[in-house]
Amino acid sequence: MNNILITGGNGQIGSELYTVLSERYGIGNIVSLDIQPPRMFGSRREVEHYEIVDVTDYKALRNTIKKYQIDTVFHLASLLSATGELKPDLAWNVNMNGLKNVLDLARDYQLQVFWPSSIAAFGPHSPQINTPQFTVLDPNTMYGVTKVAGELLCNYYFEKYNVDVRSLRYPGLISYKTPPGGGTTDYAVEIFYEAIKHKKYNCFVSAETRLPMMYMPDAIKATLDIMHAPAEQIKIRTSYNLAAISFSAEELANEIKKHIPEFECTYEPDFHQAIADSWPKSIDDSRAREDWGWSHEYDLAAMTADMLEKLA
Ligand code: SER
């Protein structure tokens, strides 16, 4: 890992990964790429090398990789599940053709690649409790379809071209630096902002909706752990199940109430509910723990306390 490219650099994961990687490898060795201009933090632009590129544009992507002599790509540019349902054609184009471009370039320029899959790869016929690593994958969202197809494509490029591509099925990710956009698990982030600002939140899934979740520091740790692991420890080249915590929307609201007693959460499920209902409630990630030593740090109480402290 010498010269690193992060696609989707402005996003929820990309912006946090950028900070951690620039501390570890030097800001001059990290390139952030996004279709949007760089995000401002106060009046500060945090990035040194920044490229405005559409990941579906193969030539522009190749030029960036050549310009900075990139050897490692964290390919995070993607549409999420809720936006994917509103714009299925765009979701297919960005999620699939973007990944194909990155994998083709990885084959031709010997790049190591990280690509995120998701709990959205599972569907209504996957077991919902302790969902196993190898099971039915029948997602009914366009986002989920692109995740399953993407996992298979990653495995194909590994088997056929020896591309060192590594992947995790992220649960819902909770963070305070950059809000997510267009996901189904976004309520678990919005609820913190609203609890602090307005002491109330109207949640778009029901109180009993339970989903696998993770605090961002754990997600970043998992991402770097899998990328740093010796190649022989990576025995799954589709994507690894990854888990930390599972809670219902109501359990999260109750945990926030311990810090903000006047906080009130109401529930008004909309189209997100059907998406959430098709996903697992908890995940069996024992293969990640066995193969490359994954372990998480934050439980619901520790995450909630830290989120509220950082956001306040
Ligand atoms: N957090 C994502 C979403 O809600 C799932 O990968 O779309």
Side-chain angles (χ1 to χ4, degrees), residues 240-251:
Y240 274 95
N241 278 10
L242 187 75
I245 24 181
S246 267
F247 48 78
S248 68
E250 189 172 32
E251 283 164 1

Side-chain angles (χ1 to χ4, degrees), residues 262-277:
E262 62 276 38
F263 173 58
E264 268 185 44
C265 193
T266 48
Y267 302 90
E268 205 176 316
D270 62 12
F271 76 100
H272 293 92
Q273 187 67 50
I275 302 177
D277 288 344

Side-chain angles (χ1 to χ4, degrees), residues 116-134:
S117 185
S118 160
I119 50 169
F122 300 108
H125 296 90
S126 315
Q128 284 202 317
I129 312 285
N130 262 332
T131 308
Q133 174 69 47
F134 298 106

Side-chain angles (χ1 to χ4, degrees), residues 96 99 103 115 145-155 238:
M96 292 316 304
L99 176 61
L103 290 172
W115 174 77
V145 168
T146 66
K147 289 303 182 190
V148 175
E151 287 188 10
L152 297 173
L153 198 62
C154 288
N155 190 60
T238 47

Side-chain angles (χ1 to χ4, degrees), residues 80-81 118 143 172 183-185 279:
L80 291 183
S81 58
S118 160
Y143 176 68
T184 301
T185 57
W279 290 353

Side-chain angles (χ1 to χ4, degrees), residues 125-176:
H125 296 90
S126 315
Q128 284 202 317
I129 312 285
N130 262 332
T131 308
Q133 174 69 47
F134 298 106
T135 187
V136 176
L137 298 168
D138 66 342
N140 55 12
T141 61
M142 179 55 90
Y143 176 68
V145 168
T146 66
K147 289 303 182 190
V148 175
E151 287 188 10
L152 297 173
L153 198 62
C154 288
N155 190 60
Y156 182 85
Y157 273 67
F158 170 71
E159 300 266 348
K160 182 115 181 171
Y161 306 118
N162 212 17
V163 170
D164 186 4
V165 51
R166 305 175 181 203
S167 176
L168 299 169
R169 290 174 181 152
Y170 286 136
L173 299 181
I174 296 168
S175 64
Y176 55 85

